[in-house]
Amino acid sequence: MHPMLLLLLWGSLTLMETWAGSHSLMYFSTAMSRHGPGEPRFITGGYVDNTQFGRFDNDSPGQSVELRAPWAGQVRQKELDEETRNQRNQAQWFKALLQDLRGLYNQSNNNGSHTLQRMCGCEVGPDGSLLRGCEQFAYDGADYIALNWDLRSWTPADTVAQITRRQWEALGRAERVRNCVQDRCLTWLHRLLELGKEVLQRT
């Protein structure tokens, strides 16, 4: 992986310190356009409390989610297949958004590589209830747009991101992300905490 990408991901990880007794499920995704034609490289890492449990790379054979923690091996095949489908869909969505951003920044004729990153997930308190959720994006290493803590509105980082905000407001993206945080993310976090409780829930 590119050293700058590792640095950016590490910076994001260090910012996600959980509150006392809380637990978080975070996904760090990166799409990198290639020189010339070809599908962008898409990589996602899944973390529970900064412990990686899974990884997806569309350059890997089979394009399937790979489990990275011993306790994660207890995940059912049905769940793994569902997450693989989700990540493949995400790869296509990132590809389209990356193309849109190159156009918005007048980079369509630029054959250089560009990078789109996303951090998203949820955090629960000691009683398992939702404390907060997040989704934020960076383009070519700079902040682009972020979902506010109310999970209902967006903060764009520049005038181009304001275009994306208007598009996403029209599409109701904040509501979809909010529903995902309150449903899928919470369910998956509770499931992983149960599977890895001997490691993840130690005091």
Side-chain angles (χ1 to χ4, degrees):
M1 193 178 295
H2 193 281
M4 180 57 70
L5 174 60
L6 286 172
L7 180 62
L8 288 170
L9 289 179
W10 177 251
S12 297
L13 280 172
T14 57
L15 289 174
M16 288 306 300
E17 295 179 0
T18 54
W19 301 345
S22 66
H23 298 281
S24 65
L25 170 61
M26 300 300 301
Y27 290 94
F28 298 91
S29 302
T30 301
M32 296 168 284
S33 61
R34 308 178 199 259
H35 295 281
E39 294 284 314
R41 177 84 179 274
F42 177 77
I43 302 171
T44 293
Y47 294 79
V48 176
D49 297 346
N50 295 344
T51 297
Q52 186 176 21
F53 69 89
R55 182 176 186 270
F56 177 84
D57 184 344
N58 67 345
D59 271 5
S60 66
Q63 294 189 357
S64 299
V65 170
E66 304 169 5
L67 298 175
R68 291 300 180 93
W71 47 266
Q74 302 175 65
V75 172
R76 293 187 291 265
Q77 187 61 46
K78 180 181 179 181
E79 296 171 318
L80 201 57
D81 291 343
E82 180 181 356
E83 186 61 22
T84 292
R85 287 192 297 271
N86 180 55
Q87 291 301 323
R88 289 175 180 174
N89 290 336
Q90 289 295 312
Q92 294 303 308
W93 185 79
F94 267 71
K95 174 186 175 181
L97 182 54
L98 197 55
Q99 290 176 338
D100 288 345
L101 293 181
R102 291 179 63 185
L104 291 172
Y105 281 105
N106 296 318
Q107 299 168 330
S108 298
N109 296 324
N110 182 351
N111 290 324
S113 179
H114 297 279
T115 303
L116 174 64
Q117 294 173 287
R118 180 182 67 175
M119 178 178 73
C120 65
C122 56
E123 183 176 355
V124 298
D127 62 352
S129 61
L130 179 67
L131 292 177
R132 58 178 176 168
C134 72
E135 182 179 59
Q136 58 191 65
F137 293 81
Y139 181 64
D140 283 348
D143 288 346
Y144 183 69
I145 192 170
L147 185 63
N148 295 321
W149 292 123
D150 62 5
L151 303 181
R152 296 178 183 277
S153 57
W154 302 92
T155 296
D158 59 22
T159 55
V160 171
Q162 290 177 12
I163 298 173
T164 297
R165 180 187 63 182
R166 290 193 292 270
Q167 293 174 339
W168 288 0
E169 286 175 346
L171 293 171
R173 178 170 176 79
E175 182 179 1
R176 293 203 302 272
V177 175
R178 185 170 68 251
N179 290 338
C180 182
V181 165
Q182 296 172 343
D183 184 11
R184 179 179 174 81
C185 190
L186 275 183
T187 300
W188 196 225
L189 176 54
H190 290 153
R191 171 86 169 122
L192 293 171
L193 286 173
E194 177 61 27
L195 294 178
K197 58 185 177 183
E198 294 182 1
V199 175
L200 300 173
Q201 300 193 48
R202 288 183 300 193
T203 57

